[in-house]
Amino acid sequence: LLVELPGSEAWADHEFALAGKTAKDGVTELRFERESAAGGLTLVKTFRIRADQPIIELRVEFQNIPSADWLTREPYRLRIANAVGLPLDLEKDDCLVTVRSDRITDHHKVRRMSGEDEWPTDAERERAGHGRVKGTPTIEWAAVANKYFALIVRPEPRHSVGSRPGLQGAEMRFVRTHKCAAAVDLLVPPPEAWGGSASDTFHVYAGPKKYDDLAALPGRQEEAIDYWYFGPPVIALLRWMHETLVPNYGVAIIILTVVFRLLMWPVTRYNLKSLVEIKVANARLEE
């Protein structure tokens, strides 16, 4: 979770100094700081880790801002890279990046990207503006994942009173890094500065793609798993069979496959009969 400041991209290539560590009531807080080369402006990253939750809270804070309009020029970048790496071939159909937004979803689906250069596209901006003008999508969360693990970043709304979930005006760009085959830069609009400081909060899930764990998180983060249409019901049925019938997922899958075959037998029989009739008809046509 590297941070690049406007005009100071070199900051992302340097380590932050550990400024403090506290542990109290099952919560561990790590505070990292880095000061700009010219002095003055300080970037602080604070991680709050709870022993009983799979969520890490990240607070990005800017201190000693040199001028009131410093953060109004360009967005800063938060780099999201899955620690376990990603496939080298971005042209595959693997859903490497998943985006959920409150305004561009189609029938409550999320946007899955594989090898795309940016988000949102012009079509998504028009959809956010309801087809009349180009709007500004509000991103609820973004996930970078491979087959088994996911790194999901959910921005906290900047205005808690009366605001919809997510971060309005954020964008994403695909990048390649030397440590990871691919990553995503989340372009975060400048936060409002108060008294020479400004901050944003992100909630980060880093772990296995377990449906129940993700379903317990806000914002329907279980949709980061691509189960297609029948995934959740089939998984629920498999778990029920595992808990009540056979304590073995392999046997449960075999039983479920046989049951599905029997249920689909009328359709399969009809298709086989149609294929035979087509072969007979083709033979007659050839004669």
Side-chain angles (χ1 to χ4, degrees):
L1 295 169
L2 300 174
V3 178
E4 295 180 355
L5 298 180
S8 303
E9 294 184 357
W11 279 28
D13 297 327
H14 293 80
E15 295 183 358
F16 282 67
L18 180 62
K21 176 182 178 180
T22 59
K24 183 179 180 181
D25 298 331
V27 179
T28 301
E29 184 173 293
L30 299 173
R31 180 184 174 93
F32 298 87
E33 293 184 0
R34 181 161 181 82
E35 189 175 352
S36 65
L41 178 65
T42 303
L43 175 59
V44 181
K45 295 196 301 184
T46 305
F47 295 88
R48 301 186 77 249
I49 307 168
R50 297 184 60 93
D52 58 346
Q53 291 184 1
I55 296 297
I56 300 173
E57 181 181 299
L58 167 63
R59 180 180 174 88
V60 179
E61 186 176 2
F62 307 96
Q63 298 179 349
N64 304 320
I65 300 175
S67 61
D69 63 343
W70 179 84
L71 283 173
T72 62
R73 297 194 298 267
E74 300 178 41
Y76 70 89
R77 298 170 181 259
L78 178 67
R79 178 157 295 179
I80 306 171
N82 199 335
V84 295
L86 296 173
L88 291 174
D89 185 6
L90 291 181
E91 300 301 325
K92 293 181 179 180
D93 293 332
D94 301 332
C95 298
L96 302 180
V97 178
T98 305
V99 186
R100 179 171 178 82
S101 167
D102 64 340
R103 298 169 106 181
I104 66 167
T105 52
D106 182 15
H107 302 295
H108 302 290
K109 294 180 183 178
V110 297
R111 163 73 187 277
R112 305 190 190 278
M113 301 160 49
S114 179
E116 298 288 340
D117 293 327
E118 62 182 34
W119 176 94
T121 62
D122 289 340
E124 288 161 343
R125 293 181 190 276
E126 291 177 0
R127 193 182 305 170
H130 304 286
R132 295 186 295 271
V133 295
K134 288 187 177 182
T136 304
T138 300
I139 185 173
E140 292 191 20
W141 50 260
V144 179
N146 63 6
K147 189 173 183 179
Y148 301 108
F149 297 93
L151 183 67
I152 307 175
V153 177
R154 181 175 64 88
E156 186 175 284
R158 286 173 172 169
H159 306 284
S160 58
V161 180
S163 63
R164 61 169 70 101
L167 184 64
Q168 188 172 11
E171 299 181 4
M172 293 202 318
R173 300 287 186 273
F174 260 103
V175 294
R176 290 182 180 271
T177 68
H178 63 282
K179 294 182 179 180
C180 187
V184 164
D185 276 351
L186 182 63
L187 277 63
V188 184
E192 296 182 5
W194 300 95
S197 64
S199 64
D200 277 318
T201 301
F202 303 89
H203 301 276
V204 182
Y205 173 85
K209 295 163 70 173
K210 292 184 177 180
Y211 186 86
D212 289 344
D213 292 348
L214 296 179
L217 302 178
R220 299 174 63 172
Q221 296 184 44
E222 69 274 12
E223 294 181 358
I225 307 174
D226 188 11
Y227 278 138
W228 203 50
Y229 295 102
F230 305 106
V234 171
I235 288 177
L237 181 58
L238 274 176
R239 293 184 59 183
W240 176 81
M241 294 175 63
H242 180 268
E243 294 172 359
T244 59
L245 299 179
V246 287
N248 185 297
Y249 275 112
V251 177
I253 291 173
I254 294 173
I255 295 175
L256 189 62
T257 302
V258 173
V259 171
F260 280 160
R261 287 284 188 177
L262 292 176
L263 292 176
M264 295 298 294
W265 170 244
V267 178
T268 305
R269 182 175 178 273
Y270 177 80
N271 289 336
L272 292 175
K273 183 179 178 181
S274 298
L275 288 174
V276 172
E277 291 176 352
I278 289 173
K279 289 184 69 174
V280 173
N282 287 334
R284 290 179 179 176
L285 285 172
E286 289 179 1
E287 291 180 0

